[in-house]
Amino acid sequence: MSRISPLAAVDPKAHVAEDVEIGPFCTVGPDVIIEAGTKLLNGASILGHTKVGRNNTLYPGAVLGGAPQDIKYKGAPTRLEIGDGNVFREASTVHRGTEKGGGCSKVGNNNYLMVNAHLGHDCDVGNNCILANNVMVGGHVAIGDGVNMAGGVGVNHFVTIGQYAFIGGYSRIHHDVPPFCKVDGADLVRGVNSIGLRRASFAEEDIESIERACRNLFYHEKPFAVAIAEFDTMNGLNPHVKYMIEFLRRRNMGRHGRYLESLRAK
């Protein structure tokens, strides 16, 4: 049976599954869909054209589906789509998309947004990511699976963060982040996220291949263009290394070290 506090403001047009829990002082708008098992603790809000999947938890003050913070946004019915099993801690925010950004922000499954984490408009987040306290992600950012961002990280708009990357606390991310790597400071690659890869059940031989590739790419004095070109002549390239090389080549095709910047709508 539905468990909705009489002190919650739930629009009668909203589609709310029967076992959804909605605590006091929560707000649910008319164009919202909430699937089974999701919980809204006191003071959480879901607004706009937002679909929230199964078994998500919103802590007090979390806001999903707010209007994008973009002065070009003129009120179009853009969307936010949330997958299953996500946790949105206190005061975390995720905004809807914009007309020029494709119209939809997306968050996948089993992600954890800690206190005051923010995802801007038109973001596309994969699965099993962790955004620690006060992480600030600008609009039009793509985040791959298994990404871990420590507290206070700031991510420039149109950045792509490769899968299983780890970003150190208070880093300033202006360029696309290579997959499988540890990055901190101002876009500095510090090594391979070997702990994260082992937790994700990567084979040891794959981790070793990624580490060798990173040494050739980032730790030698040879020019980066020369280092990356050398991988063209290698036979039997590890598939994870191949993915990383293709990611870096695509990054170099973009503007300001951001591939998505080259696709930016005028």
Side-chain angles (χ1 to χ4, degrees):
M1 296 180 62
S2 177
R3 290 176 283 182
I4 301 177
S5 168
L7 298 178
V10 180
D11 194 285
K13 295 180 182 179
H15 294 271
V16 180
E18 289 187 356
D19 67 344
V20 168
E21 297 182 25
I22 301 179
F25 312 115
C26 292
T27 301
V28 177
D31 300 306
V32 170
I33 299 171
I34 308 177
E35 297 186 349
T38 289
K39 299 179 181 180
L40 280 68
L41 305 185
N42 54 295
S45 299
I46 306 179
L47 311 171
H49 288 76
T50 298
K51 179 180 179 182
V52 178
R54 295 174 176 268
N55 302 317
N56 296 282
T57 302
L58 279 69
Y59 279 76
V63 180
L64 303 183
Q69 297 178 133
D70 187 332
I71 60 175
K72 298 185 295 298
Y73 176 71
K74 303 301 180 184
T78 54
R79 308 187 315 281
L80 169 63
E81 295 179 359
I82 304 292
D84 302 332
N86 299 287
V87 175
F88 301 92
R89 293 302 303 258
E90 295 84 351
S92 56
T93 54
V94 185
H95 289 182
R96 303 194 309 269
T98 62
E99 300 95 318
K100 290 188 176 182
C104 186
S105 301
K106 297 180 181 179
V107 177
N109 304 320
N110 303 313
N111 299 291
Y112 199 111
L113 276 69
M114 297 187 190
V115 172
N116 207 43
H118 168 73
L119 288 172
H121 58 84
D122 302 294
C123 282
D124 189 345
V125 180
N127 307 313
N128 303 303
C129 297
I130 298 174
L131 278 64
N133 298 349
N134 301 310
V135 166
M136 301 168 287
V137 178
H140 308 277
V141 170
I143 301 175
D145 293 344
V147 168
N148 191 331
M149 299 190 213
V153 170
V155 181
N156 198 84
H157 56 280
F158 290 98
V159 160
T160 300
I161 301 177
Q163 62 186 15
Y164 300 103
F166 176 87
I167 303 178
Y170 290 93
S171 295
R172 306 179 305 282
I173 304 302
H174 308 91
H175 309 313
D176 292 352
V177 176
F180 317 125
C181 292
K182 294 186 295 186
V183 174
D184 70 6
D187 304 298
L188 296 175
V189 175
R190 297 294 192 183
V192 173
N193 182 22
S194 55
I195 293 175
L197 295 179
R198 290 189 178 98
R199 288 174 177 170
S201 301
F202 275 61
E204 285 299 322
E205 55 266 30
D206 290 330
I207 297 174
E208 291 172 2
S209 294
I210 294 168
E211 288 177 339
R212 286 195 298 271
C214 283
R215 284 195 294 270
N216 290 331
L217 288 166
F218 302 115
Y219 309 147
H220 287 177
E221 294 183 358
K222 68 181 70 174
F224 184 76
V226 173
I228 202 169
E230 291 177 350
F231 286 89
D232 286 333
T233 62
M234 297 177 64
N235 295 319
L237 194 63
N238 179 280
H240 299 296
V241 174
K242 181 179 179 182
Y243 168 74
M244 182 166 62
I245 296 302
E246 291 173 348
F247 181 100
L248 291 168
R249 288 194 177 120
R250 190 182 74 164
R251 181 182 74 173
N252 291 345
M253 293 168 52
R255 298 174 58 200
H256 314 301
R258 301 186 289 269
Y259 170 71
L260 293 176
E261 192 84 55
S262 66
L263 308 179
R264 183 173 183 174
K266 302 299 183 183

